[in-house]
């Protein structure tokens, strides 16, 4: 039996007269300890998919199942890292971590908690920024803090919504390795959204494209059968990696073409009416 599952999930927004169907009939089965990368276009419904997995949104139809039980609300087993960071603005870097750690590990002694928090601050290279508030951090620093907070809570399932998108290439590589290390050591289950095929192939066991919206759905999976540990420096020369990248990118490009032609076909045809020349019908007053 799958560990985490989306069963025929559909979700839309708006009243029936003006409904926007974001996701339609989405099915996904994830094994325990699996690392799945979902890749898709902007606005296709990736964050909506994450919110459904996290129990923050309810599907209109279908079910989300974790470990045999329906996910009805958010809980500590499902840790989501949002794209918009959702940090508490009145708390420092350390404070944002502390409130999360206290919530999940209320019994942890104070000294151990301080060390634990420092470990995560160092991991995401925010050392010496412990007392800064979120408003004093750059976008990338906020993203790293948000990642540290999600990782420190040690949820069974890590739901990462484009966790590394705002980072420079070097920090991005460091944190990619860190996420892989945590996933391997702690044997978590990970669902990560990314728009980067190379990142997905480097990190995941499986890549699942999301088709463009409206009514987006998950396409067939691409298993990533590259040996671990994966070395980013040699991966570019690996024929299996090149083949996978070519296949996934080609599929995404074909989806994009389909989406464009869909939009073209959806263009409104206006009625063939000629405007009346009002001057010939009405005389002006005065
Ligand atoms: N609460 C909401 N109410 C109404 N429409 C919504 C709501 N949340 C999302 N949408 C719409 O659903 C669609 C998908 O949004 P979503 O944020 O899930 O996409 P995304 O793939 O994560 O986008 P991006 O890549 O730009 O972050 C968009 O058209 C968006 O406007």
């Amino acid at each position: 039996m799958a560990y985490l599952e989306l069963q025929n999930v559909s979700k839309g927004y708006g009243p029936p007269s003006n409904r926007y169907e974001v996701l339609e009939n989405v099915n996904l089965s994830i094994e325990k300890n699996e690392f799945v990368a979902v890749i898709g276009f902007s606005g296709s419904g990736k964050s909506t998919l994450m919110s459904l997995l996290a129990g923050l949104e309810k599907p209109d139809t279908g079910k989300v199942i974790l470990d045999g039980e329906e996910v009805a609300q958010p809980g500590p087993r499902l840790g989501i890292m949002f794209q918009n960071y959702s940090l508490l603005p009145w708390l420092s870097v350390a404070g944002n971590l502390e409130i999360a750690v206290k919530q999940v590990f209320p019994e942890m002694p104070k000294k151990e908690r301080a060390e634990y928090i420092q470990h995560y601050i160092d991991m995401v290279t925010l050392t010496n920024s412990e007392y800064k508030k979120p408003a004093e951090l750059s976008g990338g620093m906020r993203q790293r803090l948000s990642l540290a907070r999600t990782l420190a809570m040690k949820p069974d399932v890590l739901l990462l919504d484009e966790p590394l998108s705002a980072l420079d290439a070097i920090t991005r590589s460091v944190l990619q390795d860190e996420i892989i290390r945590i996933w391997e050591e702690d044997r978590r289950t990970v669902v990560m959204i990314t728009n980067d095929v190379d990142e997905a192939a480097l990190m995941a066991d499986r890549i699942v494209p999301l088709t463009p919206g409206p009514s987006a759905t998950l396409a067939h999976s691409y298993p990533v059968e590259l040996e671990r540990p994966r070395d980013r420096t040699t991966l570019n020369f690996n024929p299996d990696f090149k083949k996978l990248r070519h296949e996934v990118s080609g599929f995404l490009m074909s989806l994009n073409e389909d989406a464009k032609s869909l939009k073209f076909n959806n263009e409104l045809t206006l009625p063939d009416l000629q405007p009346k020349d009002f001057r010939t019908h009405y005389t002006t007053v005065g």
Side-chain angles (χ1 to χ4, degrees):
M1 195 178 65
Y3 182 59
L4 179 61
E5 232 179 326
L6 289 157
Q7 293 178 347
N8 300 318
V9 165
S10 298
K11 177 76 186 170
Y13 295 108
S17 58
N18 187 24
R19 187 113 184 120
Y20 185 82
E21 298 298 342
V22 181
L23 298 170
E24 199 165 298
N25 209 18
V26 175
N27 288 287
L28 182 65
S29 292
I30 299 172
E31 297 302 317
K32 195 166 189 185
N33 308 138
E34 200 182 4
F35 193 135
V36 171
V38 174
I39 195 157
F41 299 93
S42 186
S44 55
K46 302 183 299 297
S47 301
T48 304
L49 184 76
M50 281 305 210
S51 299
L52 289 165
L53 281 170
L56 291 162
E57 297 264 13
K58 278 199 166 60
D60 297 335
T61 58
K63 281 181 189 170
V64 180
I65 312 273
L66 172 66
D67 213 2
E69 280 179 30
E70 189 167 353
V71 175
Q73 59 194 24
R77 296 188 70 188
L78 290 152
I80 187 163
M81 176 194 162
F82 291 104
Q83 235 177 358
N84 59 7
Y85 321 134
S86 62
L87 300 166
L88 300 173
W90 60 91
L91 290 179
S92 65
V93 166
N96 264 283
L97 280 167
E98 186 173 32
I99 198 168
V101 172
K102 263 186 178 168
Q103 190 197 331
V104 186
F105 307 112
E107 308 297 324
M108 193 184 278
K110 206 173 167 196
K111 186 166 176 288
E112 191 186 328
R113 189 169 65 227
E115 285 166 7
Y116 185 81
I117 289 168
Q118 193 61 46
H119 166 79
Y120 282 94
I121 289 175
D122 296 342
M123 175 196 289
V124 296
T125 59
L126 284 176
T127 319
N128 299 327
S129 297
E130 285 87 346
Y131 300 106
K132 286 189 179 161
K133 301 270 171 66
E136 299 169 275
L137 303 174
S138 70
M141 289 164 98
R142 286 201 280 267
Q143 196 169 27
R144 269 141 55 205
L145 174 56
S146 178
L147 178 64
R149 185 182 55 182
T150 309
L151 297 178
M153 291 168 84
K154 295 203 172 215
D156 295 338
V157 182
L158 278 167
L159 302 169
L160 307 174
D161 189 355
E162 301 202 33
L164 310 173
S165 59
L167 305 178
D168 63 273
I170 294 174
T171 314
R172 194 172 177 140
S173 311
V174 170
L175 289 182
Q176 282 170 346
D177 291 346
E178 211 48 64
I179 293 172
I180 295 170
R181 191 186 61 73
I182 286 170
W183 166 72
E184 278 174 341
E185 274 181 20
D186 295 350
R187 303 310 297 161
R188 310 262 152 222
T189 304
V190 179
V191 184
M192 184 181 79
I193 293 203
T194 176
N195 54 18
D196 182 341
V197 179
D198 286 12
E199 182 169 270
L202 173 76
M203 299 176 78
D205 293 322
R206 186 152 56 110
I207 303 175
V208 194
L210 183 67
T211 65
S215 301
T217 195
L218 291 171
H220 54 275
S221 297
Y222 289 84
V224 187
E225 279 152 357
L226 302 165
E227 248 179 59
R228 295 185 188 268
R230 295 175 189 158
D231 177 1
R232 73 181 70 248
T233 53
T234 55
L235 216 48
N236 267 328
F237 307 103
N238 180 324
D240 293 333
F241 171 75
K242 287 203 270 191
K243 183 166 172 276
L244 177 71
R245 180 165 60 180
H246 182 72
E247 282 175 4
V248 177
S249 307
F251 180 68
L252 289 170
M253 271 152 66
S254 73
L255 284 180
N256 199 22
E257 286 305 311
D258 287 351
K260 273 191 215 151
S261 62
L262 202 69
K263 280 192 188 110
F264 180 74
N265 289 337
N266 278 348
E267 264 179 22
L268 284 176
T269 311
L270 295 173
D272 187 20
L273 294 175
Q274 295 292 324
K276 269 186 177 170
D277 185 344
F278 285 93
R279 281 169 306 177
T280 59
H281 293 276
Y282 300 100
T283 47
T284 48
V285 181

